[in-house]
Amino acid sequence: MLDYISVLDAVGLPGLRVVLSPGFPGPWSVAAKMILDLKGIRYLPVAQSIACEDKVLREWTGQESAPVAMLDGERGRSRWDEILLLAERLQPQPSLIPEGARMRWEVSGLSSAICGEDGLGWNFRLYKMAAWEDALAGKSSEPVFLSREQVDVMQFRYGDPSRSAAGAKSRMIAILELLAEQLHENRRKGSPYLIGDRLTAADIYWTSFSNLVAPMRHEHCPMPDAYRAMGEAMHADLGDTIDRILIEHRDAVLDRHISLPLQF
């Protein structure tokens, strides 16, 4: 585990402080950490409690989730694209955003499909919240690592699962198919990456979010048993819709570009 400091201790410190969730490989946080580490950007990790009210964190950052990057006296950056652009500014190389306008747009579009509202991670949480409701009510054996209060917080942030769960799975499948099609097309062009001929942010985001539908090997990403079981259950639920090329790509990015094992 990273050497975390508390929110109270972080508030008055200078430099880059990044709020993360200790002990859990939350995909947005893992992606932010991968990007910063890949660029060699030093930061202080700040501990956040998952899906809990935290008045000090809200007063400091304007919200209560992770990740959020706080640089000196600048505004907090909590969206995936804000953190990426901050990292590019602090350390331009290696760049994870192509210079060409078309490829830059393609990276942004694929990354949004993974990280953004109504994206892969968003719909995963909508879909799982419906299952968590049944588990908390004793109606299923679905693995759940959140309390009743934490699930309520998640519903407030992501929406009522009873209205959205039906379409969430189909949306996830569509995004996975899109990513697989892109990888197959680019592989035919001789590249192992999603876009162009080098690593971009889109590769990092898929690698981070892949845990939700196909957990990484333990030696790559040790995680709580309940968290792994959640991803394994999703993998079984999605079945053949997860093209093998997606897992091959994820493992190749980990082996070539990421310091392992992951710490969080």
Side-chain angles (χ1 to χ4, degrees):
M1 184 179 292
L2 299 176
D3 187 14
Y4 283 92
I5 62 174
S6 70
V7 175
L8 277 173
D9 288 339
V11 171
L13 295 176
L16 181 62
R17 295 138 296 166
V18 181
V19 180
L20 302 166
S21 303
F24 287 93
W28 285 272
S29 292
V30 169
K33 185 179 179 302
M34 281 185 179
I35 289 168
L36 295 170
D37 291 348
L38 189 68
K39 288 175 169 289
I41 298 172
R42 299 183 63 181
Y43 61 93
L44 287 174
V46 182
Q48 175 254 5
S49 297
I50 296 175
C52 294
E53 292 187 5
D54 189 329
K55 293 182 180 179
V56 178
L57 181 61
R58 175 172 288 279
E59 289 175 1
W60 183 39
T61 68
Q63 49 84 69
E64 295 174 324
S65 61
V68 55
M70 304 294 292
L71 178 63
D72 295 324
E74 297 184 13
R75 63 178 176 84
R77 291 166 171 85
S78 58
R79 296 199 314 266
W80 63 270
D81 51 347
E82 292 180 320
I83 294 174
L84 172 62
L85 291 172
L86 176 63
E88 290 282 295
R89 187 187 104 196
L90 293 176
Q91 179 50 265
Q93 298 300 327
S95 177
L96 296 174
I97 303 175
E99 292 185 6
R102 178 171 293 278
M103 283 203 298
R104 186 183 182 95
W105 174 79
E106 291 173 347
V107 168
S108 177
L110 279 185
S111 299
S112 181
I114 299 167
C115 310
E117 186 164 344
D118 199 35
L120 182 66
W122 187 281
N123 280 282
F124 171 86
R125 288 187 169 175
L126 281 177
Y127 185 69
K128 279 297 181 182
M129 278 191 290
W132 292 341
E133 282 289 345
D134 288 342
L136 289 170
K139 298 178 182 178
S140 78
S141 58
E142 173 74 20
V144 56
F145 60 90
L146 300 179
S147 67
R148 170 75 270 169
E149 292 76 16
Q150 289 172 315
V151 171
D152 289 342
V153 171
M154 294 286 285
Q155 288 184 10
F156 175 78
R157 292 176 181 171
Y158 291 91
D160 180 359
S162 65
R163 293 186 292 105
S164 309
K169 183 179 179 180
S170 61
R171 176 67 176 147
M172 290 178 67
I173 291 172
I175 294 169
L176 291 169
E177 289 176 343
L178 171 66
L179 293 171
E181 289 171 5
Q182 180 66 25
L183 280 170
H184 281 296
E185 180 179 345
N186 219 29
R187 185 170 290 185
R188 286 192 289 270
K189 297 176 182 178
S191 173
Y193 300 107
L194 273 165
I195 296 169
D197 58 2
R198 64 180 178 85
L199 184 77
T200 69
D203 299 297
I204 295 295
Y205 290 128
W206 161 242
T207 298
S208 304
F209 280 71
S210 67
N211 257 339
L212 299 178
V213 298
M216 300 173 190
R217 298 195 299 272
H218 176 77
E219 59 268 28
H220 284 172
C221 183
M223 65 185 80
D225 291 342
Y227 197 97
R228 180 173 295 279
M230 179 179 64
E232 289 173 345
M234 192 75 246
H235 184 79
D237 203 359
L238 292 171
D240 294 338
T241 61
I242 304 176
D243 193 312
R244 182 61 196 170
I245 198 172
L246 292 168
I247 309 306
E248 293 173 353
H249 173 265
R250 183 270 306 280
D251 292 343
V253 170
L254 288 173
D255 289 339
R256 295 172 186 166
H257 300 285
I258 305 301
S259 178
L260 298 172
L262 296 179
Q263 298 185 59
F264 35 83

